[in-house]
Amino acid sequence: MLGPRTAEDWTVPAGPLEWTCWQTAPHIGHDLLAYAGPLAAQPTDAYLPIDLDVRPTASPAEVLQAVTACGGLLSSALATANPTLRAWHWGPCDSEGFAAMGVAETLLHTYDITQGLSVDWLPPAPLSAAVLNRLFLRSWNSPSAWTRGPWA
C-alpha cells in the first residue's frame, strides 16, 4: 500500500497524529522490533533496552525497507518461538499476543499514513477483527485474565 507512494510528500501529518508520515513509519518498525526482541530474549519483568534509530536523511523508500526488515525479524522470531513462551509486555505475553500486537500497530499506523497521503484505504476487516478478538475479547473474557494480564 505504501511502497508505490514513496515519491509523495511524507512530511505531512499522518492522519490525526502529531507525527508526520515519515515519523510514523519508523514507529511501526520500532514496534515490530520491540515485539521481536522479547520473543528472542524472553525477558520476564522488563522491556529490553533497545530502540530503532532510523537516520533522518532516509528517504520514505528506505524507511519502508527498515520497517520491512523489522517485520521480518518479528516473523522469524514468531516462527521459532516455543508455543509456551512468555515474555514481557506489560506483564507476561505469549507469542500469539506479540503477533497480534505487531499486526495491530502495522494496520493502525498504515491507516494513519494513508490518511496523511490522501489515499483511500481501510485495514482489512477480517484481519482487524481477528486482532481485536485476540488482544481484547479473548483475553479479557478468559477466566484467568485478571491474574495473567490482558496479553497472556
Side-chain angles (χ1 to χ4, degrees), residues 97-144:
F98 281 103
M101 289 186 289
V103 172
E105 287 288 334
T106 302
L107 293 176
L108 290 169
H109 291 308
T110 297
Y111 177 75
D112 292 330
I113 294 169
T114 60
Q115 292 301 291
L117 298 177
S118 299
V119 175
D120 187 25
W121 179 80
L122 290 174
L127 186 54
S128 299
V131 167
L132 290 172
N133 182 58
R134 172 56 186 88
L135 292 180
F136 299 105
L137 300 177
R138 190 182 94 191
S139 295
W140 286 109
N141 290 327
S142 168
S144 58

mmCIF file of all heavy atoms in Angstrom, residues 97-144:
data_model
loop_
_atom_site.group_PDB
_atom_site.id
_atom_site.type_symbol
_atom_site.label_atom_id
_atom_site.label_comp_id
_atom_site.label_asym_id
_atom_site.label_seq_id
_atom_site.Cartn_x
_atom_site.Cartn_y
_atom_site.Cartn_z
ATOM 1 N N GLY A 97 0.144 -13.257 21.172
ATOM 2 C CA GLY A 97 -0.121 -11.874 21.558
ATOM 3 C C GLY A 97 0.844 -10.909 20.898
ATOM 4 O O GLY A 97 0.449 -9.838 20.420
ATOM 5 N N PHE A 98 2.143 -11.274 20.845
ATOM 6 C CA PHE A 98 3.119 -10.415 20.172
ATOM 7 C C PHE A 98 2.797 -10.302 18.683
ATOM 8 O O PHE A 98 2.923 -9.226 18.096
ATOM 9 C CB PHE A 98 4.542 -10.947 20.369
ATOM 10 C CG PHE A 98 5.123 -10.602 21.715
ATOM 11 C CD1 PHE A 98 5.201 -11.555 22.714
ATOM 12 C CD2 PHE A 98 5.587 -9.329 21.984
ATOM 13 C CE1 PHE A 98 5.732 -11.258 23.952
ATOM 14 C CE2 PHE A 98 6.128 -9.006 23.222
ATOM 15 C CZ PHE A 98 6.199 -9.974 24.216
ATOM 16 N N ALA A 99 2.366 -11.395 18.077
ATOM 17 C CA ALA A 99 1.981 -11.351 16.658
ATOM 18 C C ALA A 99 0.805 -10.405 16.457
ATOM 19 O O ALA A 99 0.816 -9.563 15.553
ATOM 20 C CB ALA A 99 1.629 -12.753 16.166
ATOM 21 N N ALA A 100 -0.195 -10.527 17.295
ATOM 22 C CA ALA A 100 -1.380 -9.675 17.169
ATOM 23 C C ALA A 100 -1.031 -8.204 17.383
ATOM 24 O O ALA A 100 -1.533 -7.326 16.669
ATOM 25 C CB ALA A 100 -2.453 -10.129 18.153
ATOM 26 N N MET A 101 -0.160 -7.924 18.342
ATOM 27 C CA MET A 101 0.238 -6.525 18.561
ATOM 28 C C MET A 101 0.989 -5.968 17.351
ATOM 29 O O MET A 101 0.793 -4.808 16.972
ATOM 30 C CB MET A 101 1.087 -6.415 19.825
ATOM 31 C CG MET A 101 0.288 -6.624 21.090
ATOM 32 S SD MET A 101 1.237 -6.340 22.601
ATOM 33 C CE MET A 101 2.345 -7.754 22.620
ATOM 34 N N GLY A 102 1.833 -6.789 16.735
ATOM 35 C CA GLY A 102 2.545 -6.333 15.545
ATOM 36 C C GLY A 102 1.607 -6.038 14.390
ATOM 37 O O GLY A 102 1.753 -5.026 13.692
ATOM 38 N N VAL A 103 0.621 -6.897 14.201
ATOM 39 C CA VAL A 103 -0.365 -6.668 13.138
ATOM 40 C C VAL A 103 -1.178 -5.416 13.449
ATOM 41 O O VAL A 103 -1.423 -4.584 12.571
ATOM 42 C CB VAL A 103 -1.286 -7.900 12.954
ATOM 43 C CG1 VAL A 103 -2.429 -7.588 12.007
ATOM 44 C CG2 VAL A 103 -0.473 -9.083 12.438
ATOM 45 N N ALA A 104 -1.583 -5.254 14.704
ATOM 46 C CA ALA A 104 -2.374 -4.080 15.084
ATOM 47 C C ALA A 104 -1.620 -2.792 14.806
ATOM 48 O O ALA A 104 -2.166 -1.859 14.203
ATOM 49 C CB ALA A 104 -2.763 -4.169 16.557
ATOM 50 N N GLU A 105 -0.366 -2.712 15.235
ATOM 51 C CA GLU A 105 0.427 -1.498 15.005
ATOM 52 C C GLU A 105 0.583 -1.221 13.512
ATOM 53 O O GLU A 105 0.480 -0.079 13.069
ATOM 54 C CB GLU A 105 1.814 -1.629 15.644
ATOM 55 C CG GLU A 105 1.818 -1.527 17.140
ATOM 56 C CD GLU A 105 1.547 -0.127 17.662
ATOM 57 O OE1 GLU A 105 1.822 0.867 16.950
ATOM 58 O OE2 GLU A 105 1.083 -0.017 18.805
ATOM 59 N N THR A 106 0.819 -2.270 12.746
ATOM 60 C CA THR A 106 1.003 -2.107 11.304
ATOM 61 C C THR A 106 -0.278 -1.598 10.650
ATOM 62 O O THR A 106 -0.243 -0.650 9.849
ATOM 63 C CB THR A 106 1.458 -3.429 10.670
ATOM 64 O OG1 THR A 106 2.676 -3.847 11.301
ATOM 65 C CG2 THR A 106 1.691 -3.274 9.181
ATOM 66 N N LEU A 107 -1.400 -2.196 10.982
ATOM 67 C CA LEU A 107 -2.670 -1.768 10.394
ATOM 68 C C LEU A 107 -3.034 -0.342 10.802
ATOM 69 O O LEU A 107 -3.404 0.486 9.961
ATOM 70 C CB LEU A 107 -3.796 -2.720 10.789
ATOM 71 C CG LEU A 107 -3.738 -4.134 10.237
ATOM 72 C CD1 LEU A 107 -4.880 -4.971 10.816
ATOM 73 C CD2 LEU A 107 -3.770 -4.136 8.720
ATOM 74 N N LEU A 108 -2.953 -0.069 12.090
ATOM 75 C CA LEU A 108 -3.350 1.257 12.588
ATOM 76 C C LEU A 108 -2.511 2.372 11.985
ATOM 77 O O LEU A 108 -3.040 3.390 11.513
ATOM 78 C CB LEU A 108 -3.237 1.299 14.111
ATOM 79 C CG LEU A 108 -4.242 0.471 14.883
ATOM 80 C CD1 LEU A 108 -3.841 0.386 16.347
ATOM 81 C CD2 LEU A 108 -5.632 1.056 14.735
ATOM 82 N N HIS A 109 -1.206 2.183 12.003
ATOM 83 C CA HIS A 109 -0.353 3.273 11.538
ATOM 84 C C HIS A 109 -0.228 3.339 10.021
ATOM 85 O O HIS A 109 0.035 4.410 9.477
ATOM 86 C CB HIS A 109 1.003 3.221 12.230
ATOM 87 C CG HIS A 109 0.884 3.559 13.685
ATOM 88 N ND1 HIS A 109 0.258 4.699 14.141
ATOM 89 C CD2 HIS A 109 1.283 2.893 14.789
ATOM 90 C CE1 HIS A 109 0.288 4.733 15.453
ATOM 91 N NE2 HIS A 109 0.907 3.641 15.878
ATOM 92 N N THR A 110 -0.444 2.218 9.328
ATOM 93 C CA THR A 110 -0.555 2.303 7.869
ATOM 94 C C THR A 110 -1.781 3.127 7.521
ATOM 95 O O THR A 110 -1.746 3.967 6.613
ATOM 96 C CB THR A 110 -0.620 0.908 7.233
ATOM 97 O OG1 THR A 110 0.608 0.225 7.506
ATOM 98 C CG2 THR A 110 -0.833 0.984 5.726
ATOM 99 N N TYR A 111 -2.852 2.917 8.250
ATOM 100 C CA TYR A 111 -4.060 3.730 8.041
ATOM 101 C C TYR A 111 -3.760 5.211 8.277
ATOM 102 O O TYR A 111 -4.147 6.071 7.475
ATOM 103 C CB TYR A 111 -5.191 3.251 8.947
ATOM 104 C CG TYR A 111 -6.426 4.103 8.823
ATOM 105 C CD1 TYR A 111 -7.251 3.996 7.705
ATOM 106 C CD2 TYR A 111 -6.755 5.029 9.796
ATOM 107 C CE1 TYR A 111 -8.383 4.788 7.572
ATOM 108 C CE2 TYR A 111 -7.884 5.824 9.676
ATOM 109 C CZ TYR A 111 -8.692 5.704 8.558
ATOM 110 O OH TYR A 111 -9.810 6.494 8.424
ATOM 111 N N ASP A 112 -3.051 5.526 9.367
ATOM 112 C CA ASP A 112 -2.695 6.925 9.635
ATOM 113 C C ASP A 112 -1.905 7.520 8.476
ATOM 114 O O ASP A 112 -2.178 8.646 8.028
ATOM 115 C CB ASP A 112 -1.864 7.032 10.916
ATOM 116 C CG ASP A 112 -2.644 6.694 12.169
ATOM 117 O OD1 ASP A 112 -3.876 6.929 12.196
ATOM 118 O OD2 ASP A 112 -2.020 6.200 13.127
ATOM 119 N N ILE A 113 -0.926 6.777 7.978
ATOM 120 C CA ILE A 113 -0.092 7.281 6.878
ATOM 121 C C ILE A 113 -0.926 7.455 5.614
ATOM 122 O O ILE A 113 -0.799 8.470 4.914
ATOM 123 C CB ILE A 113 1.118 6.351 6.636
ATOM 124 C CG1 ILE A 113 2.054 6.385 7.857
ATOM 125 C CG2 ILE A 113 1.873 6.763 5.367
ATOM 126 C CD1 ILE A 113 3.140 5.319 7.840
ATOM 127 N N THR A 114 -1.784 6.492 5.314
ATOM 128 C CA THR A 114 -2.605 6.632 4.103
ATOM 129 C C THR A 114 -3.521 7.846 4.215
ATOM 130 O O THR A 114 -3.771 8.517 3.213
ATOM 131 C CB THR A 114 -3.445 5.371 3.803
ATOM 132 O OG1 THR A 114 -4.327 5.099 4.888
ATOM 133 C CG2 THR A 114 -2.554 4.179 3.510
ATOM 134 N N GLN A 115 -3.997 8.136 5.402
ATOM 135 C CA GLN A 115 -4.829 9.328 5.578
ATOM 136 C C GLN A 115 -4.018 10.587 5.289
ATOM 137 O O GLN A 115 -4.493 11.511 4.642
ATOM 138 C CB GLN A 115 -5.403 9.381 6.997
ATOM 139 C CG GLN A 115 -6.407 8.291 7.283
ATOM 140 C CD GLN A 115 -7.578 8.343 6.321
ATOM 141 O OE1 GLN A 115 -8.372 9.266 6.368
ATOM 142 N NE2 GLN A 115 -7.651 7.364 5.443
ATOM 143 N N GLY A 116 -2.781 10.614 5.784
ATOM 144 C CA GLY A 116 -1.908 11.763 5.529
ATOM 145 C C GLY A 116 -1.585 11.934 4.058
ATOM 146 O O GLY A 116 -1.464 13.059 3.572
ATOM 147 N N LEU A 117 -1.456 10.826 3.366
ATOM 148 C CA LEU A 117 -1.128 10.872 1.936
ATOM 149 C C LEU A 117 -2.368 10.947 1.056
ATOM 150 O O LEU A 117 -2.263 10.879 -0.170
ATOM 151 C CB LEU A 117 -0.288 9.644 1.551
ATOM 152 C CG LEU A 117 1.070 9.507 2.256
ATOM 153 C CD1 LEU A 117 1.757 8.209 1.837
ATOM 154 C CD2 LEU A 117 1.963 10.716 1.986
ATOM 155 N N SER A 118 -3.538 11.081 1.666
ATOM 156 C CA SER A 118 -4.831 11.169 0.957
ATOM 157 C C SER A 118 -5.107 9.940 0.099
ATOM 158 O O SER A 118 -5.582 10.040 -1.038
ATOM 159 C CB SER A 118 -4.890 12.444 0.109
ATOM 160 O OG SER A 118 -4.775 13.575 0.932
ATOM 161 N N VAL A 119 -4.812 8.780 0.658
ATOM 162 C CA VAL A 119 -5.069 7.511 -0.019
ATOM 163 C C VAL A 119 -6.302 6.884 0.628
ATOM 164 O O VAL A 119 -6.381 6.774 1.858
ATOM 165 C CB VAL A 119 -3.863 6.553 0.119
ATOM 166 C CG1 VAL A 119 -4.180 5.186 -0.468
ATOM 167 C CG2 VAL A 119 -2.638 7.166 -0.536
ATOM 168 N N ASP A 120 -7.249 6.470 -0.174
ATOM 169 C CA ASP A 120 -8.463 5.839 0.319
ATOM 170 C C ASP A 120 -8.174 4.372 0.602
ATOM 171 O O ASP A 120 -8.110 3.548 -0.322
ATOM 172 C CB ASP A 120 -9.580 5.993 -0.720
ATOM 173 C CG ASP A 120 -10.924 5.496 -0.206
ATOM 174 O OD1 ASP A 120 -11.128 5.489 1.024
ATOM 175 O OD2 ASP A 120 -11.762 5.113 -1.038
ATOM 176 N N TRP A 121 -7.966 4.027 1.873
ATOM 177 C CA TRP A 121 -7.639 2.658 2.268
ATOM 178 C C TRP A 121 -8.152 2.403 3.669
ATOM 179 O O TRP A 121 -8.051 3.261 4.549
ATOM 180 C CB TRP A 121 -6.133 2.437 2.227
ATOM 181 C CG TRP A 121 -5.714 1.050 2.640
ATOM 182 C CD1 TRP A 121 -5.742 -0.066 1.859
ATOM 183 C CD2 TRP A 121 -5.217 0.632 3.914
ATOM 184 N NE1 TRP A 121 -5.289 -1.154 2.565
ATOM 185 C CE2 TRP A 121 -4.964 -0.747 3.835
ATOM 186 C CE3 TRP A 121 -4.970 1.293 5.114
ATOM 187 C CZ2 TRP A 121 -4.463 -1.492 4.901
ATOM 188 C CZ3 TRP A 121 -4.480 0.560 6.187
ATOM 189 C CH2 TRP A 121 -4.224 -0.811 6.071
ATOM 190 N N LEU A 122 -8.670 1.227 3.889
ATOM 191 C CA LEU A 122 -9.069 0.772 5.215
ATOM 192 C C LEU A 122 -8.373 -0.549 5.504
ATOM 193 O O LEU A 122 -8.202 -1.372 4.602
ATOM 194 C CB LEU A 122 -10.580 0.570 5.299
ATOM 195 C CG LEU A 122 -11.449 1.818 5.277
ATOM 196 C CD1 LEU A 122 -12.925 1.426 5.216
ATOM 197 C CD2 LEU A 122 -11.173 2.692 6.497
ATOM 198 N N PRO A 123 -7.985 -0.782 6.752
ATOM 199 C CA PRO A 123 -7.427 -2.088 7.091
ATOM 200 C C PRO A 123 -8.433 -3.190 6.780
ATOM 201 O O PRO A 123 -9.638 -2.990 6.945
ATOM 202 C CB PRO A 123 -7.178 -1.984 8.603
ATOM 203 C CG PRO A 123 -7.096 -0.527 8.883
ATOM 204 C CD PRO A 123 -8.024 0.128 7.895
ATOM 205 N N PRO A 124 -7.975 -4.336 6.319
ATOM 206 C CA PRO A 124 -8.901 -5.436 6.002
ATOM 207 C C PRO A 124 -9.727 -5.832 7.231
ATOM 208 O O PRO A 124 -9.177 -6.080 8.310
ATOM 209 C CB PRO A 124 -7.977 -6.580 5.578
ATOM 210 C CG PRO A 124 -6.666 -5.940 5.260
ATOM 211 C CD PRO A 124 -6.578 -4.689 6.070
ATOM 212 N N ALA A 125 -11.028 -5.881 7.068
ATOM 213 C CA ALA A 125 -11.935 -6.155 8.184
ATOM 214 C C ALA A 125 -11.674 -7.506 8.854
ATOM 215 O O ALA A 125 -11.638 -7.574 10.091
ATOM 216 C CB ALA A 125 -13.386 -6.046 7.720
ATOM 217 N N PRO A 126 -11.483 -8.605 8.109
ATOM 218 C CA PRO A 126 -11.265 -9.899 8.790
ATOM 219 C C PRO A 126 -9.987 -9.899 9.647
ATOM 220 O O PRO A 126 -9.988 -10.429 10.756
ATOM 221 C CB PRO A 126 -11.156 -10.902 7.641
ATOM 222 C CG PRO A 126 -11.848 -10.254 6.487
ATOM 223 C CD PRO A 126 -11.605 -8.779 6.657
ATOM 224 N N LEU A 127 -8.933 -9.310 9.137
ATOM 225 C CA LEU A 127 -7.687 -9.260 9.889
ATOM 226 C C LEU A 127 -7.847 -8.361 11.118
ATOM 227 O O LEU A 127 -7.389 -8.697 12.211
ATOM 228 C CB LEU A 127 -6.554 -8.759 8.991
ATOM 229 C CG LEU A 127 -5.151 -8.773 9.571
ATOM 230 C CD1 LEU A 127 -4.765 -10.155 10.093
ATOM 231 C CD2 LEU A 127 -4.158 -8.312 8.516
ATOM 232 N N SER A 128 -8.512 -7.236 10.940
ATOM 233 C CA SER A 128 -8.756 -6.332 12.071
ATOM 234 C C SER A 128 -9.583 -7.025 13.146
ATOM 235 O O SER A 128 -9.280 -6.916 14.342
ATOM 236 C CB SER A 128 -9.477 -5.068 11.595
ATOM 237 O OG SER A 128 -8.686 -4.369 10.660
ATOM 238 N N ALA A 129 -10.610 -7.742 12.742
ATOM 239 C CA ALA A 129 -11.458 -8.449 13.702
ATOM 240 C C ALA A 129 -10.670 -9.522 14.449
ATOM 241 O O ALA A 129 -10.823 -9.679 15.671
ATOM 242 C CB ALA A 129 -12.656 -9.067 12.988
ATOM 243 N N ALA A 130 -9.809 -10.228 13.746
ATOM 244 C CA ALA A 130 -9.001 -11.268 14.390
ATOM 245 C C ALA A 130 -8.062 -10.667 15.432
ATOM 246 O O ALA A 130 -7.896 -11.215 16.527
ATOM 247 C CB ALA A 130 -8.213 -12.048 13.336
ATOM 248 N N VAL A 131 -7.461 -9.533 15.095
ATOM 249 C CA VAL A 131 -6.547 -8.875 16.027
ATOM 250 C C VAL A 131 -7.309 -8.376 17.255
ATOM 251 O O VAL A 131 -6.874 -8.574 18.396
ATOM 252 C CB VAL A 131 -5.799 -7.720 15.322
ATOM 253 C CG1 VAL A 131 -5.094 -6.831 16.326
ATOM 254 C CG2 VAL A 131 -4.805 -8.276 14.322
ATOM 255 N N LEU A 132 -8.435 -7.729 17.042
ATOM 256 C CA LEU A 132 -9.225 -7.234 18.170
ATOM 257 C C LEU A 132 -9.686 -8.385 19.065
ATOM 258 O O LEU A 132 -9.648 -8.285 20.289
ATOM 259 C CB LEU A 132 -10.419 -6.433 17.675
ATOM 260 C CG LEU A 132 -10.085 -5.085 17.051
ATOM 261 C CD1 LEU A 132 -11.329 -4.463 16.421
ATOM 262 C CD2 LEU A 132 -9.467 -4.147 18.081
ATOM 263 N N ASN A 133 -10.093 -9.473 18.442
ATOM 264 C CA ASN A 133 -10.514 -10.631 19.221
ATOM 265 C C ASN A 133 -9.362 -11.159 20.064
ATOM 266 O O ASN A 133 -9.527 -11.453 21.244
ATOM 267 C CB ASN A 133 -11.054 -11.727 18.306
ATOM 268 C CG ASN A 133 -11.530 -12.921 19.105
ATOM 269 O OD1 ASN A 133 -12.393 -12.801 19.965
ATOM 270 N ND2 ASN A 133 -10.951 -14.078 18.827
ATOM 271 N N ARG A 134 -8.180 -11.268 19.469
ATOM 272 C CA ARG A 134 -7.034 -11.819 20.202
ATOM 273 C C ARG A 134 -6.576 -10.891 21.311
ATOM 274 O O ARG A 134 -6.287 -11.316 22.421
ATOM 275 C CB ARG A 134 -5.869 -12.097 19.237
ATOM 276 C CG ARG A 134 -4.569 -12.481 19.941
ATOM 277 C CD ARG A 134 -4.772 -13.699 20.857
ATOM 278 N NE ARG A 134 -3.615 -14.011 21.637
ATOM 279 C CZ ARG A 134 -3.331 -13.498 22.837
ATOM 280 N NH1 ARG A 134 -4.116 -12.605 23.391
ATOM 281 N NH2 ARG A 134 -2.255 -13.874 23.491
ATOM 282 N N LEU A 135 -6.501 -9.614 21.027
ATOM 283 C CA LEU A 135 -5.946 -8.695 22.012
ATOM 284 C C LEU A 135 -6.929 -8.308 23.113
ATOM 285 O O LEU A 135 -6.519 -8.033 24.230
ATOM 286 C CB LEU A 135 -5.431 -7.427 21.326
ATOM 287 C CG LEU A 135 -4.214 -7.611 20.440
ATOM 288 C CD1 LEU A 135 -3.803 -6.293 19.815
ATOM 289 C CD2 LEU A 135 -3.050 -8.206 21.232
ATOM 290 N N PHE A 136 -8.190 -8.280 22.785
ATOM 291 C CA PHE A 136 -9.132 -7.763 23.762
ATOM 292 C C PHE A 136 -10.211 -8.752 24.165
ATOM 293 O O PHE A 136 -10.318 -9.120 25.323
ATOM 294 C CB PHE A 136 -9.758 -6.459 23.254
ATOM 295 C CG PHE A 136 -8.723 -5.407 23.026
ATOM 296 C CD1 PHE A 136 -8.327 -5.066 21.747
ATOM 297 C CD2 PHE A 136 -8.105 -4.779 24.087
ATOM 298 C CE1 PHE A 136 -7.353 -4.108 21.538
ATOM 299 C CE2 PHE A 136 -7.127 -3.828 23.896
ATOM 300 C CZ PHE A 136 -6.751 -3.481 22.612
ATOM 301 N N LEU A 137 -10.997 -9.203 23.236
ATOM 302 C CA LEU A 137 -12.152 -10.034 23.598
ATOM 303 C C LEU A 137 -11.744 -11.361 24.212
ATOM 304 O O LEU A 137 -12.186 -11.718 25.300
ATOM 305 C CB LEU A 137 -13.045 -10.252 22.386
ATOM 306 C CG LEU A 137 -13.613 -8.968 21.763
ATOM 307 C CD1 LEU A 137 -14.422 -9.299 20.530
ATOM 308 C CD2 LEU A 137 -14.445 -8.212 22.784
ATOM 309 N N ARG A 138 -10.884 -12.102 23.519
ATOM 310 C CA ARG A 138 -10.496 -13.412 24.039
ATOM 311 C C ARG A 138 -9.734 -13.279 25.345
ATOM 312 O O ARG A 138 -9.955 -14.022 26.294
ATOM 313 C CB ARG A 138 -9.646 -14.159 23.024
ATOM 314 C CG ARG A 138 -9.439 -15.619 23.448
ATOM 315 C CD ARG A 138 -8.567 -16.360 22.499
ATOM 316 N NE ARG A 138 -7.207 -16.260 23.031
ATOM 317 C CZ ARG A 138 -6.135 -16.608 22.354
ATOM 318 N NH1 ARG A 138 -6.228 -17.039 21.134
ATOM 319 N NH2 ARG A 138 -4.953 -16.514 22.897
ATOM 320 N N SER A 139 -8.837 -12.312 25.416
ATOM 321 C CA SER A 139 -8.020 -12.154 26.608
ATOM 322 C C SER A 139 -8.855 -11.754 27.814
ATOM 323 O O SER A 139 -8.716 -12.308 28.897
ATOM 324 C CB SER A 139 -6.937 -11.100 26.367
ATOM 325 O OG SER A 139 -6.054 -11.546 25.376
ATOM 326 N N TRP A 140 -9.716 -10.792 27.646
ATOM 327 C CA TRP A 140 -10.474 -10.288 28.793
ATOM 328 C C TRP A 140 -11.604 -11.217 29.188
ATOM 329 O O TRP A 140 -12.071 -11.164 30.321
ATOM 330 C CB TRP A 140 -11.008 -8.895 28.506
ATOM 331 C CG TRP A 140 -9.899 -7.905 28.561
ATOM 332 C CD1 TRP A 140 -9.344 -7.253 27.513
ATOM 333 C CD2 TRP A 140 -9.158 -7.495 29.711
ATOM 334 N NE1 TRP A 140 -8.313 -6.458 27.933
ATOM 335 C CE2 TRP A 140 -8.176 -6.583 29.282
ATOM 336 C CE3 TRP A 140 -9.218 -7.815 31.059
ATOM 337 C CZ2 TRP A 140 -7.268 -5.974 30.149
ATOM 338 C CZ3 TRP A 140 -8.318 -7.204 31.927
ATOM 339 C CH2 TRP A 140 -7.363 -6.309 31.469
ATOM 340 N N ASN A 141 -12.073 -12.064 28.294
ATOM 341 C CA ASN A 141 -13.135 -12.997 28.637
ATOM 342 C C ASN A 141 -12.600 -14.305 29.222
ATOM 343 O O ASN A 141 -13.371 -15.156 29.629
ATOM 344 C CB ASN A 141 -14.009 -13.294 27.414
ATOM 345 C CG ASN A 141 -14.820 -12.089 27.029
ATOM 346 O OD1 ASN A 141 -15.227 -11.305 27.873
ATOM 347 N ND2 ASN A 141 -15.056 -11.927 25.740
ATOM 348 N N SER A 142 -11.289 -14.436 29.251
ATOM 349 C CA SER A 142 -10.680 -15.637 29.801
ATOM 350 C C SER A 142 -10.882 -15.671 31.316
ATOM 351 O O SER A 142 -10.768 -14.649 31.976
ATOM 352 C CB SER A 142 -9.183 -15.636 29.477
ATOM 353 O OG SER A 142 -8.515 -16.617 30.216
ATOM 354 N N PRO A 143 -11.156 -16.840 31.886
ATOM 355 C CA PRO A 143 -11.371 -16.932 33.337
ATOM 356 C C PRO A 143 -10.186 -16.443 34.161
ATOM 357 O O PRO A 143 -10.354 -15.965 35.262
ATOM 358 C CB PRO A 143 -11.611 -18.421 33.573
ATOM 359 C CG PRO A 143 -11.892 -19.010 32.256
ATOM 360 C CD PRO A 143 -11.314 -18.103 31.212
ATOM 361 N N SER A 144 -8.976 -16.554 33.609
ATOM 362 C CA SER A 144 -7.807 -16.147 34.391
ATOM 363 C C SER A 144 -7.211 -14.834 33.898
ATOM 364 O O SER A 144 -6.079 -14.516 34.218
ATOM 365 C CB SER A 144 -6.749 -17.250 34.351
ATOM 366 O OG SER A 144 -6.381 -17.509 33.015
#
